């Protein structure tokens, strides 16, 4: 009888723990609504983990990329938190392509929490199609579990820098980068001329 009661208690306890783990109101940052599904052509480039090669993102590195203070070359900035395209010539990206530098900045006096999926920002490139509509060039990076979704602090008056690939093709148009900060908060980079394959 005691063994039967012990088994019942054990089953109840394991069920309660499982339900709590999956149903508890954890303060995770929910992913933004996804754009129309497109194939991911490359690995995530807006990754906060540092890379050994200065122009390659290495998902296997375990230390978070350090932020840098905003310098005089970036002013005037248009938003409190935004994406800044660093002017300059193209740089090597991923051994065989060319890229450009892009910075996510916090131009406020307070630390801002930036949503991530396994340290990848909710940031993708967009292109204007022939009908004047903005289209996602890639899908958002997908997390592997509920623990993949969390925020990372970006200090006041600091930025993170990324090298992102430059697309090319026969269709010349306007392009931009879009970043979701959670909920309805979305910021866009300045638009720039580019080209993609139709």
């Amino acid at each position: 009888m005691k063994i039967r009661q012990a088994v019942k208690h054990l089953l109840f306890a394991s069920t309660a723990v499982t339900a709590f783990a999956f149903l508890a109101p954890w303060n995770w940052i929910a992913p933004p609504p996804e754009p129309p599904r497109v194939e991911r052509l490359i690995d995530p480039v807006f990754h906060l983990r540092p890379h050994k090669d200065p122009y390659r993102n290495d998902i296997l590195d375990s230390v978070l990329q350090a932020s840098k203070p905003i310098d005089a070359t970036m002013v005037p900035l248009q938003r409190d938190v935004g994406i800044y395209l660093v002017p300059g010539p193209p740089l090597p990206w991923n051994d065989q392509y060319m890229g450009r530098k892009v910075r996510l900045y916090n131009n406020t006096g307070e630390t801002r929490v930036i949503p991530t999926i396994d340290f990848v920002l909710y940031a993708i490139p967009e292109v204007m199609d022939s009908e004047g509509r903005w289209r996602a060039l890639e899908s958002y990076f997908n997390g592997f579990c509920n623990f993949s979704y969390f925020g990372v602090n970006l200090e006041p008056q600091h930025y993170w820098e990324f090298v992102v690939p430059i697309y090319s093709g026969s269709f010349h148009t306007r392009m931009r980068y879009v970043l979701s900060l959670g909920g309805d908060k979305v910021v866009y980079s300045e638009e720039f001329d580019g080209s993609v394959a139709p």
Side-chain angles (χ1 to χ4, degrees), residues 8-171:
K8 284 183 179 179
H9 289 304
L10 184 60
L11 287 174
F12 176 80
S14 62
T15 303
V17 168
T18 303
F20 178 79
F22 284 98
L23 301 177
W26 301 109
N27 190 23
W28 302 122
I29 297 175
E34 285 201 22
R37 238 4 226 180
V38 292
E39 181 182 357
R40 173 162 286 283
L41 302 178
I42 54 178
D43 291 331
V45 294
F46 289 94
H47 208 295
L48 282 173
R49 298 188 183 187
H51 23 79
K52 299 169 186 175
D53 185 303
Y55 306 124
R56 176 182 296 178
N57 292 313
D58 188 352
I59 198 170
L60 300 179
D61 285 343
S62 59
V63 182
L64 192 65
Q65 177 188 146
S67 62
K68 300 175 182 177
I70 293 174
D71 54 55
T73 63
M74 294 177 62
V75 294
L77 296 173
Q78 303 299 319
R79 299 177 177 86
D80 290 343
V81 176
I83 299 175
Y84 175 78
L85 305 180
V86 181
L91 304 167
W93 183 87
N94 202 21
D95 297 333
Q96 53 184 328
Y97 302 106
M98 301 305 290
R100 65 166 54 87
K101 288 184 179 180
V102 176
R103 294 173 179 173
L104 168 62
Y105 62 83
N106 174 11
N107 193 34
T108 73
E110 301 177 349
T111 297
R112 291 298 178 92
V113 179
I114 309 299
T116 72
I117 318 128
D118 292 327
F119 295 109
V120 180
L121 303 184
Y122 291 101
I124 55 173
E126 290 187 333
V127 61
M128 184 176 290
D129 67 15
S130 57
E131 298 179 0
R133 296 174 298 183
W134 286 105
R135 299 282 189 165
L137 278 181
E138 294 192 29
S139 62
Y140 287 105
F141 183 67
N142 290 322
F144 298 105
C145 67
N146 288 339
F147 296 98
S148 296
Y149 302 95
F150 52 86
V152 178
N153 292 335
L154 179 56
E155 299 95 329
Q157 299 298 311
H158 277 66
Y159 67 86
W160 290 312
E161 186 172 85
F162 310 89
V163 176
V164 298
I166 296 175
Y167 292 83
S168 62
S170 61
F171 179 58

